[in-house]
């Protein structure tokens, strides 16, 4: 007896969906700093330096000013793609030589602005001038100054395109058979860049 391809496909889909293991969201109670409007005027830039041969992801990093004075010292952060800190830097906590902690954004005073969203094994890019960010397990959007301009109140948010983005207050996440993270919700709706619902 031959099994028809469509029957095999339906059976495979049934097995895949019945074996979903949903990912638990991290619930934290971190304190975050809100960037003031006055801090969106750049008066100085800091340069990333390392004590290793090359500046590459994961190495210990410090930030110095134009006079090579150390403003953010070695010992707390690992490099995560920010060569020049003008408004904020993407860094990883690096409490010792063998472990890494949170992936987050800090300002020149080491205030934590938000936690970073990962995309395709790297940093989340800007889309329509905004990037997705996380605060205590909830998602929102920040601008290039590090200001959270749409509050982190959603379970999941998608990229902005043409001035709109889909968001949800109720999302479940799981990994598919190819180990890709999948987000599902029955309650998606669209918002504009001011956070107003538009559908």
């Amino acid at each position: 007896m031959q099994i028809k391809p469509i029957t095999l496909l339906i059976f495979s889909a049934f097995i895949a969906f019945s074996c979903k293991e949903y990912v638990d969201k991290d619930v934290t109670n971190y304190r975050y700093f809100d960037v003031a409007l006055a801090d969106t005027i750049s008066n100085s830039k800091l340069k990333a330096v390392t004590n290793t041969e090359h500046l590459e992801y994961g190495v210990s990093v410090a930030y110095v000013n134009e006079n090579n004075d150390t403003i953010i010292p070695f010992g707390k952060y690992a490099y995560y793609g920010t060569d020049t800190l003008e408004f904020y830097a993407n860094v990883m906590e690096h409490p010792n030589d063998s472990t890494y902690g949170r992936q987050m954004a800090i300002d020149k005073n080491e205030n934590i602005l938000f936690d970073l969203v990962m995309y395709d094994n790297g940093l989340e890019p800007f889309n329509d001038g905004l990037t997705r960010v996380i605060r205590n397990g909830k998602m929102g959007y920040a601008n290039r100054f590090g200001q959270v301009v749409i509050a982190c109140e959603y379970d999941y948010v998608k990229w902005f395109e043409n001035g709109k983005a889909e968001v949800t207050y109720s999302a479940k996440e799981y990994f598919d058979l190819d180990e890709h993270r999948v987000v599902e919700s029955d309650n998606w709706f669209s918002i504009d860049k001011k956070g107003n619902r538009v559908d």
Side-chain angles (χ1 to χ4, degrees), residues 21 25 69:
E21 259 190 67
K25 282 202 170 249
D69 299 321

Side-chain angles (χ1 to χ4, degrees), residues 3-199:
I3 298 176
K4 293 183 178 180
I6 190 71
T7 305
L8 187 57
L9 182 64
I10 291 170
F11 180 73
S12 298
F14 173 76
I15 293 297
F17 285 108
S18 64
C19 296
K20 280 189 225 175
E21 259 190 67
Y22 290 104
V23 177
D24 290 331
K25 282 202 170 249
D26 289 334
V27 178
T28 58
N29 193 24
Y30 296 130
R31 294 181 63 106
Y32 296 91
F33 181 79
D34 289 318
V35 176
L37 185 60
D39 294 330
T40 62
I41 299 167
S42 178
N43 53 11
S44 65
K45 297 179 183 178
L46 304 181
K47 180 177 69 173
V49 295
T50 184
N51 52 9
T52 61
E53 188 175 347
H54 301 288
L55 187 61
E56 57 191 5
Y57 284 90
V59 299
S60 187
V61 70
Y63 285 90
V64 300
N65 64 17
E66 59 187 15
N67 297 321
N68 282 327
D69 299 321
T70 301
I71 306 301
I72 299 175
F74 284 110
K76 194 169 177 183
Y77 304 109
Y79 178 73
Y80 208 55
T82 303
D83 296 335
T84 304
L85 193 171
E86 183 173 9
F87 299 107
Y88 71 91
N90 297 317
V91 296
M92 287 186 283
E93 276 186 325
H94 193 40
N96 60 52
D97 288 340
S98 62
T99 64
Y100 298 100
R102 292 166 64 189
Q103 298 154 340
M104 59 193 181
I106 60 169
D107 67 10
K108 294 172 188 172
N109 298 312
E110 300 184 63
N111 294 309
I112 299 171
L113 308 181
F114 45 80
D115 295 300
L116 304 175
V117 173
M118 301 304 299
Y119 173 75
D120 199 20
N121 296 322
L123 290 170
E124 171 83 359
F126 278 84
N127 292 283
D128 265 10
L130 299 177
T131 188
R132 300 181 299 172
V133 298
I134 301 170
R135 284 183 168 182
N136 291 321
K138 296 292 185 179
M139 296 180 75
Y141 299 88
N143 63 18
R144 67 183 185 92
F145 303 112
Q147 293 176 299
V148 175
V149 293
I150 297 176
C152 295
E153 63 185 34
Y154 303 101
D155 260 12
Y156 196 83
V157 300
K158 296 182 182 180
W159 287 356
F160 267 93
E161 281 188 71
N162 302 316
K164 292 196 298 187
E166 288 188 350
V167 301
T168 183
Y169 287 113
S170 57
K172 291 183 179 179
E173 299 180 46
Y174 64 93
F175 288 98
D176 66 14
L177 297 176
D178 294 323
E179 293 299 310
H180 296 115
R181 188 179 288 256
V182 178
V183 178
E184 61 182 30
S185 175
D186 293 329
N187 299 301
W188 293 103
F189 60 94
S190 294
I191 60 171
D192 63 18
K193 291 170 78 172
K194 293 184 177 178
N196 298 315
R197 189 168 179 154
V198 292
D199 65 352

